[in-house]
Amino acid sequence: MSTSFLSAILPAGFRTAAAPLREVVGADLSVPLVSGRRVRFANLDYAASAPALAEVAGHLQELLPYCASVHRGAGYTAQVSTAVYEKARHTLRLFAGGREDDQVIFTRNTTDALNLLAGCVPGGEVL
């Protein structure tokens, strides 16, 4: 398609080639080729994971010294970890438009979440 065609159908100010919205960890990673030459890595394997945003990695780095068991300790670091965990539940509930009495449950992955949900459905019922 020609640029003039695109400019005729796209809204004013629309950019067809935009920069990433947020910086990601490893975006500048270079990897070796068999020839020994190094090239910028292009991750095409986002099916099960995605790169961390640099901003998120910064927050994790800040929290790392306080890493402790959530809901299992009375010490300061356990209390900090538990508070951050519960704040994440609250923030996610608000983001998803949940009601005050709705619960947020973190699971390991989508399969785990669906299995947990399936186990809550009484026998013989269909969702």
Side-chain angles (χ1 to χ4, degrees):
M1 287 189 271
S2 70
T3 304
S4 60
F5 173 75
L6 286 176
S7 61
I9 63 170
L10 295 174
F14 187 87
R15 298 182 332 182
T16 56
L21 298 176
R22 297 276 194 244
E23 180 185 349
V24 295
V25 174
D28 56 351
L29 180 67
S30 69
V31 295
L33 298 178
V34 175
S35 66
R37 190 169 65 100
R38 295 185 74 82
V39 297
R40 184 171 176 207
F41 179 65
N43 188 352
L44 303 176
D45 188 20
Y46 288 146
S49 62
L53 296 175
E55 186 175 352
V56 172
H59 288 294
L60 289 174
Q61 191 67 31
E62 181 182 338
L63 186 61
L64 204 52
Y66 301 96
C67 185
S69 295
V70 173
H71 295 129
R72 294 185 183 204
Y76 182 75
T77 56
Q79 296 299 311
V80 170
S81 292
T82 298
V84 169
Y85 190 84
E86 290 302 326
K87 176 69 174 172
R89 277 192 219 257
H90 176 75
T91 301
L92 186 58
R93 182 177 52 77
L94 293 177
F95 176 78
R99 299 173 308 229
E100 191 65 36
D101 61 337
D102 286 336
Q103 298 296 313
V104 172
I105 301 171
F106 293 120
T107 63
R108 292 179 297 236
N109 52 48
T110 305
T111 302
D112 190 39
L114 290 173
N115 286 335
L116 182 62
L117 178 62
C120 294
V121 176
E125 291 192 28
V126 178
L127 290 176

